[in-house]
Amino acid sequence: MSDKSIFILAIESSCDDTSAAVLCNGKVLSNVVANQEIHALYGGVVPELASRAHQQNIIPVVQQAIQKANIDKNQLNAIAFTRGPGLMGSLLVGTSFAKSLALGLNIPLIAVNHMQAHILAHFIEEESQTKPPFPFLCLTISGGHTQIVKITDYFLMEIIGETLDDAAGEAYDKSAKILGLPYPGGPLIDKYAQLGNPKAYAFTKPKVGAMDFSFSGLKTGILRFVEKNVAANPDFVKENLYDICASIQHTIVQILMDKLKNASKHTGIKHIAIAGGVSANSEIRKVLKEAEKKYGWNTYIPKFEYTTDNAGMIGISGYLSYLEGNYSEISTQSTARLKVTE
Ligand code: KG4
Ligand code: ZN
């Protein structure tokens, strides 16, 4: 490789996945993710257990990422890490590790905003991805966030709509819990929905601002619906699981699309991207693609491996900051709360 190659090691530990990636000039050479299975036993992420699992995973995950990238750690130009938002105990593991390595190798440290990183994953050099031009809108849908963001430049973002209560991922996971499915239930609802009838059951959509979201009413609606039907037939969920999942998924995706349409109309922007864990969902990916013809949109759907939490997206954000000479002080602190605009 030429002398101009910039190698970034990225570390992500904001929630329950420990991930490390190595990028060269914006191209992902390795992207290792260790999922923490332990949380399935508890039906949700247990912060203390997540922090402990990160401590166990971080060294082997980083070692694997460097090995897979086939480079020597002395070739690294900078270390990028997730500063927030996320679980404090989880963030601290990645932050401390990144700081120590940057100090040891005497290279710059770059703090990354996890929510910006989900969006900036669209700028990873990847044959299967087209980069969106500025300005574009991004529907960021994850386990903790649901927002429509207007992106004017890499680090110039504005929230134009967001959830007033639960995130889209929570709507999936909580619905799954009501149906007795293990955590995280989003991918399972997606899988079963593909075998069912999306019009089998109707759930009411929330009445909130044109570009805002609310999912807590839907969760209560699903709970009441299941309670009522199970009282009449204890096997109701088992017998109708595919149709229930398809109907829940249809409702969530319709809500997301309605808001996106409103946002596109309001801003006049027709370059529309999705990002975050829920953007792995097969239905939203399909419906968004169909919207190209229907509404004249250009849509941008991230490669599957860059949807749920991964260090590849932290790496591209770090690389873009590196190009701007935007490094972080060694005293930079993790923060549980951080807006996409910060
Ligand atoms: O972005 P992410 O990995 O973590 C956060 O930053 O929150 O998102 C995780 C969320 C979980 O709620 C999970 O159930 C959901 O993404 N998810 C899905 C799918 N894959 C992951 N939801 C629906 N369909 C999927 N295929
Ligand atoms: Zn995330």
Side-chain angles (χ1 to χ4, degrees):
M1 298 220 185
S2 79
D3 287 347
K4 283 195 183 140
S5 293
I6 304 296
F7 291 98
I8 308 275
L9 170 72
I11 293 167
E12 153 65 29
S13 72
S14 65
C15 190
D16 60 340
D17 297 313
T18 318
S19 182
V22 174
L23 279 77
C24 176
N25 295 346
K27 196 169 184 294
V28 173
L29 302 182
S30 62
N31 188 22
V32 178
V33 184
N35 302 115
Q36 302 179 359
E37 317 262 302
I38 180 101
H39 307 289
L41 292 175
Y42 301 90
V45 177
V46 184
E48 180 55 32
L49 295 179
S51 175
R52 261 189 255 167
H54 282 305
Q55 289 179 40
Q56 283 169 352
N57 292 342
I58 191 113
I59 292 174
V61 164
V62 168
Q63 264 172 348
Q64 258 189 58
I66 292 176
Q67 230 166 45
K68 276 196 178 167
N70 204 15
I71 63 156
D72 186 274
K73 64 179 184 316
N74 293 311
Q75 286 175 271
L76 292 170
N77 296 86
I79 313 278
F81 71 99
T82 304
R83 177 175 165 238
L87 300 170
M88 202 53 180
S90 292
L91 289 165
L92 278 170
V93 178
T95 304
S96 333
F97 190 89
K99 284 183 181 179
S100 324
L101 198 56
L103 271 177
L105 295 173
N106 195 22
I107 54 176
L109 180 72
I110 300 174
V112 171
N113 177 325
H114 180 93
M115 295 313 296
Q116 290 182 352
H118 270 301
I119 298 172
L120 295 175
H122 284 280
F123 295 96
I124 289 173
E125 296 290 344
E126 182 71 61
E127 268 171 36
S128 62
Q129 289 194 168
T130 313
K131 294 176 193 157
F134 300 118
F136 68 97
L137 296 181
C138 187
L139 171 69
T140 311
I141 32 182
S142 69
H145 294 79
T146 294
Q147 298 176 329
I148 299 177
V149 182
K150 179 179 166 187
I151 298 98
T152 311
D153 205 339
Y154 295 126
F155 299 102
L156 200 54
M157 305 192 181
E158 182 192 347
I159 299 170
I160 61 168
E162 63 185 329
T163 185
L164 307 177
D165 40 59
D166 290 352
E170 274 177 290
Y172 267 102
D173 296 338
K174 288 179 178 174
S175 305
K177 202 169 185 178
I178 293 170
L179 300 177
L181 300 174
Y183 177 87
L188 276 178
I189 292 197
D190 189 5
K191 186 174 150 195
Y192 297 144
Q194 292 173 41
L195 305 167
N197 172 11
K199 303 265 170 74
Y201 307 104
F203 299 106
T204 41
K205 291 201 234 162
K207 290 182 185 65
V208 287
M211 293 182 285
D212 287 329
F213 303 85
S214 166
F215 289 105
S216 68
L218 177 67
K219 175 191 63 192
T220 314
I222 292 167
L223 180 64
R224 298 279 169 270
F225 162 83
V226 168
E227 281 173 352
K228 197 180 94 194
N229 283 286
V230 166
N233 169 15
D235 288 333
F236 173 76
V237 171
K238 211 165 92 194
E239 286 170 9
N240 300 285
L241 185 62
Y242 298 163
D243 283 350
I244 303 172
C245 287
S247 302
I248 292 173
Q249 172 142 302
H250 179 68
T251 311
I252 295 175
V253 170
Q254 265 200 331
I255 295 170
L256 297 173
M257 285 304 292
D258 285 350
K259 303 301 175 158
L260 254 186
K261 275 188 271 176
N262 292 343
S264 172
K265 234 188 201 161
H266 178 80
T267 57
I269 297 173
K270 292 191 170 213
H271 292 286
I272 313 284
I274 51 173
V278 184
S279 70
N281 183 263
S282 62
E283 182 73 11
I284 188 81
R285 293 170 88 90
K286 188 181 102 202
V287 172
L288 197 70
K289 205 77 214 143
E290 289 166 358
E292 296 211 330
K293 261 203 190 131
K294 242 171 148 177
Y295 311 120
W297 291 358
N298 290 301
T299 64
Y300 305 88
I301 300 173
K303 193 178 171 193
F304 196 78
E305 72 168 294
Y306 307 131
T307 54
T308 47
D309 289 348
N310 69 90
M313 68 186 199
I314 306 303
I316 190 66
S317 311
Y319 176 62
L320 294 168
S321 285
Y322 184 92
L323 294 181
E324 292 185 6
N326 200 359
Y327 308 150
S328 305
E329 298 290 332
I330 205 77
S331 56
T332 305
Q333 304 277 340
S334 314
T335 171
R337 288 174 175 274
L338 191 63
K339 287 196 174 143
V340 72
T341 48
E342 289 174 307

